[in-house]
Every structure is written in structure tokens, then in C-alpha cells.
Amino acid sequence: MSEGSKGSSLAFGQVVIGPPGSGKTTYCHGMQEFMGRIGRKVTVVNLDPANETMPYQCAVDIAELITLPDVMDNLKLGPNGGLIYCMEYLEANFDWLQEKLAAFRGHYYLFDCPGQVELYTHHDALKNVFAQLAKWNFRLAAVHLVDSHYCTDPGKFISVLCTSLSTMLHVELPHVNILSKMDLIEQYGKLAFNLDYYTEVLDLSYLVDHLASDPFFRNYRRLNEKLVEVIEDYSLVSFVPLNVQDKESMRQVMQAVDKANGYSFGDQEQRSLEALMSAAVGADFHFTSTLAVQEKYVQSQDKAVEEEAMDL
């Protein structure tokens, strides 16, 4: 994996990014297990210096190089400034990262990244780390996780779309946006539109109209219209729904990422995947389809409408 070895074999992987609480660590754990079941050798690399509890098997941990509590204590920085310092320190110590990764040649890599949004929209340290990995013949895709509960609030969803677009343009990697925690979406409240409206980012003018019914947002209609125009003009943002406990959902996400980074698996992995998808329900996965969640959600809405009509 030397910097100048253009003839060395390619390495494939994902950089898992997103705001705090979006499920990055849970995603890495679930994807490590899922890929392991189909025979793919997976190495998880923790690049989050604030991540102290890791449910997955961590092969490379940035805590061996630097930790956020140490930086905050010694340099008297807050958590945001401390995270930026840690990423700049990692950027200045590429040789450490290169040495650690070299021990896992031939593996598929999952990079669990910090949750500070500014690192993906404004600051260049992580972007430079990804660029250096590319020089080492890594073919990476950015997997950007967003909590699905933002779909229940049109204002927050527009904000998420702007953040996702800004991240895509700044990170400069093949990008897959994920709506995580789809198994919990029913607990967040009613959606204004069907799920595919949010995953495909359909005509956003409906969202602006929906926001106009709120007295607070009515004063910002022009601003919202301009934000929506920017998002639609780029026509880049769409989402893949994810329920980590649903093997069909995991398969769809894995195939979307494989398409993005160019990974192509062999016949043995294909047969293992087919066997896994046809297997009976096991203890580790709850194979309830995300589509079934959406269907159930729509049915519950229809039932509520019928009950209201009967009361009238």
C-alpha cells in the first residue's frame, strides 16, 4: 500500500459519516456481521476519538494514536475544537494509519468516522485523509447516515437535504445517503407524504407549501423556496432506507455502496448471499421488511382516516 505503487491491488471500503446519534457505529456493527455471513473479510477502522464503546470487532482504533478526552484535558479545548485537533493530528500522522492498514491487505474496510458535521461540510482534515487513502489505492464510498425521524418535520428535512448536499460536494467521494432507523419511524409521528417522497426527494415544492401552514415558517417561505431550488438544481440527493435488523434492507444498502465504489464480488460470495437471503429467521436478525413497515404505516393512516369519518 505504498504511496507510489500504482500497480498494487485495490482496496475497497466505506467511510461511514453523519451527525451524532444517526447510527454510524450500529451500522458498522451490522454491516460487519452481514458481510461476514457472506464470506467477505471485513476490517472495521474506528476514526472517532470520542468513541469509547464499540460493539463491533475493531481492528484499527485511533485511540491508540490520540483520544478526545486527552486533547480536551491537555489543551483545554471543547469537544468540537478537540475533534478538529484530533483529525488534524491524524492527518499529520499518515504513516501510523498506513502501517496499521497494511496488516489487513485483501480485506474490505469500514471506517467509522466522528459525528461532527463541520468535519464534512467545512473542514478539510478528514477530506484530506480520504484523499490520502485514495492515493494508497483505496476505492471508497461515503455512506452518509441521517436519522429518519427528520422526515416527520418538513423544516428539519429541508435542513438535512442542505447538509447532505453540502457534504457530498465537500467530501468528493461517491456518495450513498441513508435514512437510518427505519424500524423506529412509526414512533416519530405521522409523515406528511409517503416514504418514497423522502427517499427519492420528489417535488419539494410540496414541502414548502406544507411549511407555509406553520405561522413561524410562513415568514420564511421565500428563503425555503430558494433552498429547495438549490437542492433540486443539483439533483444529487436521494436516500436509501435502512433497518439494520432487516437483511433485505442491508442487502439493498450493501449493493448500492458496492455500485458506488466499484466493488465486484465473486461467485462464492453471490452464492452465500443467496443462501443468506433464503435462510429461515435466525436469532440475530429480525427479517421484517422495510417495505412492510411503510405498508403498515400507510394502512394505519388509512384506518385513522376511516375512523375519523365514522365519528363525523
Side-chain angles (χ1 to χ4, degrees):
M1 243 171 4
S2 64
E3 189 167 341
S5 60
K6 296 299 182 182
S8 63
S9 60
L10 296 177
F12 293 88
Q14 309 174 19
V15 293
V16 184
I17 62 180
S22 58
K24 297 184 294 299
T25 298
T26 302
Y27 171 87
C28 289
H29 184 209
M31 191 57 73
Q32 182 185 46
E33 284 193 354
F34 186 82
M35 289 182 172
R37 290 189 173 203
I38 62 174
R40 192 179 299 189
K41 295 179 180 179
V42 179
T43 292
V44 182
V45 180
N46 176 44
L47 294 184
D48 185 356
N51 197 353
E52 297 178 348
T53 56
M54 292 168 286
Y56 49 71
Q57 296 178 355
C58 183
V60 180
D61 189 356
I62 193 176
E64 297 176 20
L65 178 69
I66 191 170
T67 66
L68 181 61
D70 288 344
V71 170
M72 292 173 64
D73 290 341
N74 295 325
L75 300 180
K76 307 304 178 186
L77 294 172
N80 290 337
L83 270 174
I84 290 175
Y85 180 90
C86 289
M87 293 302 100
E88 291 177 344
Y89 191 81
L90 174 63
E91 183 185 1
N93 289 273
F94 279 140
D95 53 342
W96 173 86
L97 183 60
Q98 184 176 17
E99 181 182 347
K100 290 292 184 180
L101 295 178
F104 302 96
R105 293 179 186 274
H107 286 212
Y108 187 96
Y109 298 83
L110 297 174
F111 293 89
D112 189 1
C113 298
Q116 188 178 357
V117 175
E118 291 82 0
L119 289 171
Y120 314 113
T121 58
H122 296 84
H123 201 263
D124 286 337
L126 262 181
K127 174 184 175 181
N128 294 338
V129 171
F130 301 154
Q132 184 62 49
L133 288 169
K135 292 179 181 179
W136 295 338
N137 282 332
F138 276 79
R139 297 297 178 263
L140 301 173
V143 177
H144 183 212
L145 271 67
V146 174
D147 197 316
S148 59
H149 86 265
Y150 290 117
C151 293
T152 60
D153 187 320
K156 290 180 180 178
F157 187 65
I158 290 178
S159 176
V160 160
L161 292 174
C162 291
T163 302
S164 298
L165 179 59
S166 178
T167 301
M168 295 174 76
L169 297 176
H170 185 74
V171 171
E172 296 180 349
L173 285 175
H175 212 90
V176 178
N177 291 304
I178 304 290
L179 279 178
S180 63
K181 306 180 185 179
M182 286 303 304
D183 51 320
L184 302 177
I185 195 168
E186 293 175 292
Q187 301 177 15
Y188 296 140
K190 291 185 176 181
L191 299 180
F193 309 99
N194 281 344
L195 184 61
D196 58 352
Y197 177 86
Y198 300 92
T199 57
E200 300 301 325
V201 189
L202 302 175
D203 188 351
L204 295 179
S205 62
Y206 292 110
L207 272 185
V208 176
D209 293 338
H210 191 72
L211 277 172
S213 62
D214 187 318
F216 176 80
F217 286 106
R218 191 178 300 139
N219 298 326
Y220 300 96
R221 182 183 180 97
R222 185 65 177 159
L223 172 62
N224 289 323
E225 287 176 347
K226 289 302 180 183
L227 289 173
V228 162
E229 284 179 16
V230 170
I231 296 165
E232 292 185 329
D233 285 348
Y234 275 97
S235 191
L236 290 175
V237 185
S238 62
F239 295 93
V240 179
L242 171 66
N243 173 5
V244 174
Q245 295 179 327
D246 173 14
K247 65 177 181 180
E248 175 60 29
S249 176
M250 291 292 284
R251 182 187 67 82
Q252 291 176 356
V253 170
M254 184 188 73
Q255 291 181 335
V257 177
D258 286 348
K259 183 177 180 180
N261 65 15
Y263 180 87
S264 177
F265 53 77
D267 293 339
Q268 180 58 48
E269 190 170 317
Q270 178 63 38
R271 287 194 293 270
S272 299
L273 179 60
E274 291 172 354
L276 174 61
M277 298 307 294
S278 62
V281 175
D284 295 336
F285 285 91
H286 303 290
F287 300 142
T288 53
S289 168
T290 300
L291 293 176
V293 172
Q294 166 64 358
E295 183 179 350
K296 180 180 177 183
Y297 178 84
V298 173
Q299 288 176 348
S300 65
Q301 280 189 315
D302 293 342
K303 184 177 179 181
V305 171
E306 291 176 2
E307 290 175 351
E308 289 179 6
M310 291 177 66
D311 292 340
L312 292 175

